[in-house]
Amino acid sequence: MESLKVGIVGATGFGGLELIRLLKQHPEVNEFILYSSSKKDEHIQSVYPHLNGLAEGALKAIDHEKMPEQVDFLFSSAPTGVSASLLPPLLEKGMRIIDLAGDYRLKKQGVYERWYKKEPPERKWVEKAVYGMPEYNRENIKSAQLIANPGCYPTAALLGLLPLVTKSLIDTKSIIIDAKSGISGAGAVPSSAAHFPIANDNLQIYKVNRHQHIPEIEQMLHHYSVTKDPITFNTHLVPMTRGIMNTMYATVDEGTTEREIEETFSEFAEQHPFIRLSPQGTFPCTKQVFGSNYCDIGWSFDKRTNRITTVAVIDNLMKGAAGQAVQNFNLMNGFPENTGLQASPLFP
């Protein structure tokens, strides 16, 4: 296959910027075109000087007629709620698209409206969209036209929990997820919670028991478990730029041994290029995946309480957004899954 010309919608958001960084070095991408509704006709380097000499040309307006002729493939990093109206005209023209927003992730009718408080996307495309978690949907991703790229929190949560759930090693109704994210997870548009005097030297819990990623996590857990139990999931804002740490607790099913848990996680990591296990008795930190597409996992089985503690860390802009999107892009185009994603984490 010849190298591709790729488009990025929402190029000035944090997810879009990360896509630029990754696709600039991708050996199978010939050229990319940047689209923006808020900053059209501006040059990306005038908005973000770190791209001086790396991304040329003015940001283009979104044009449903011209875009299918301009690019071979499209990444959409527009805000949730925008994709619902933006993407269907392009999909009707046969474009292949990876959507980094939440519009096409939730399959059950009424769930999107209840949790996102927005008008739902066209049902036809919700049903056709493939949930883009390569570790659990690799074959479907390969033949998809539309990918619903997973959310950042759900990615870390599901990669830390699904190995146990698929083997029926834990009681799903006992699951508690304590999640913490860096401020870039709030997006590029300034907000009061992310304002430096408030965020610095502070730890904030937000959207208690009502975070929009709850149904996304439950949807996948329910798909792989016999029971359809709800989970407890809460999120915190940490005064750092990047990174997510999900600490997860669950009761281990009767008769499950520590050996079974160890073998389950080892088998999972061996099968997937971006899953890494911490040595037994140690736990990952966010710094060790900074700037990479890895998800690092550590765990401990407490026989005294019969509960397991699992810790999963990712870079929210990489495995939690752009990195996973490029991983899906590789699968959809028949490239090796890790193409353009082999760089080691940034440290220190």
Side-chain angles (χ1 to χ4, degrees):
M1 182 182 290
E2 294 183 2
S3 57
L4 300 173
K5 184 182 288 187
V6 172
I8 303 173
V9 170
T12 60
F14 290 156
L17 290 174
E18 201 72 341
L19 284 169
I20 294 171
R21 183 174 73 89
L22 294 174
L23 296 174
K24 179 68 178 177
Q25 63 186 359
H26 196 290
E28 305 296 342
V29 174
N30 173 25
E31 182 183 345
F32 51 80
I33 294 178
L34 309 180
Y35 299 94
S36 174
S37 58
S38 62
K39 293 181 173 63
K40 62 182 178 181
D41 298 328
E42 292 187 48
H43 287 259
I44 189 72
Q45 61 265 38
S46 68
V47 183
Y48 292 105
H50 75 283
L51 292 175
N52 188 23
L54 299 176
E56 304 297 334
L59 293 157
K60 292 185 179 294
I62 295 167
D63 187 320
H64 291 113
E65 297 301 319
K66 294 180 180 179
M67 290 169 71
E69 301 171 1
Q70 293 171 336
V71 298
D72 304 309
F73 196 98
L74 189 70
F75 291 87
S76 178
S77 190
T80 295
V82 175
S83 299
S85 57
L86 171 68
L87 300 188
L90 299 172
L91 292 163
E92 293 289 355
K93 294 179 183 295
M95 290 195 76
R96 293 182 301 154
I97 301 174
I98 294 176
D99 182 31
L100 277 70
D103 291 9
Y104 296 94
R105 297 173 189 158
L106 301 175
K107 298 296 187 182
K108 192 174 180 180
Q109 273 187 303
V111 175
Y112 176 84
E113 302 94 295
R114 184 160 68 251
W115 288 89
Y116 281 90
K117 313 300 182 189
K118 299 178 186 292
E119 285 297 311
E122 189 178 344
R123 192 74 206 156
K124 168 185 174 180
W125 294 111
V126 173
E127 292 173 354
K128 286 190 174 183
V130 172
Y131 191 66
M133 181 165 284
E135 291 77 10
Y136 284 93
N137 224 0
R138 184 173 280 105
E139 294 307 312
N140 289 329
I141 290 168
K142 290 178 181 179
S143 59
Q145 181 188 359
L146 172 63
I147 293 292
N149 213 57
C152 51
Y153 281 127
T155 294
L158 292 168
L159 293 177
L161 287 171
L162 280 177
L164 303 170
V165 171
T166 55
K167 294 289 185 70
S168 299
L169 300 182
I170 58 173
D171 179 2
T172 55
K173 68 175 177 291
S174 71
I175 291 174
I176 297 173
I177 305 171
D178 177 37
K180 298 176 177 66
S181 173
I183 295 171
S184 61
V189 178
S191 66
S192 58
H195 188 43
F196 180 82
I198 295 173
N200 187 50
D201 289 333
N202 196 11
L203 180 61
Q204 307 170 67
I205 190 169
Y206 66 101
K207 294 184 179 178
V208 177
N209 294 326
R210 59 183 181 87
H211 198 284
Q212 69 272 15
H213 285 166
I214 290 173
E216 182 180 340
I217 297 169
E218 290 180 344
Q219 178 176 265
M220 280 291 280
L221 291 177
H222 294 171
H223 180 77
Y224 286 99
S225 64
V226 176
T227 59
K228 310 301 178 189
D229 300 305
I231 61 167
T232 295
F233 171 81
N234 280 308
T235 54
H236 307 75
L237 196 62
V238 180
M240 62 185 186
T241 302
R242 292 171 180 250
I244 279 179
M245 176 180 283
N246 281 2
T247 305
M248 294 160 282
Y249 309 91
T251 300
V252 173
D253 279 354
E254 193 73 30
T256 298
T257 66
E258 194 163 4
R259 177 75 177 271
E260 284 180 282
I261 296 170
E262 183 175 7
E263 289 176 349
T264 295
F265 276 120
S266 295
E267 179 184 321
F268 181 59
E270 288 169 3
Q271 291 175 348
H272 304 293
F274 294 109
I275 304 299
R276 304 190 304 185
L277 294 184
S278 296
Q280 189 67 19
T282 67
F283 294 88
C285 62
T286 58
K287 193 70 174 179
Q288 70 191 50
V289 295
F290 193 95
S292 81
N293 199 51
Y294 290 109
C295 174
D296 285 9
I297 299 171
W299 60 275
S300 174
F301 177 32
D302 184 357
K303 294 179 182 178
R304 186 180 65 85
T305 61
N306 197 40
R307 284 195 290 267
I308 187 171
T309 300
T310 304
V311 178
V313 298
I314 62 171
D315 183 322
N316 55 292
L317 295 178
M318 284 292 295
K319 186 59 173 167
Q324 186 150 247
V326 171
Q327 190 179 352
N328 287 321
F329 168 77
N330 290 336
L331 290 170
M332 293 172 76
N333 289 286
F335 307 140
E337 191 169 333
N338 64 351
T339 304
L341 296 169
Q342 299 100 322
S344 68
L346 299 172
F347 193 92

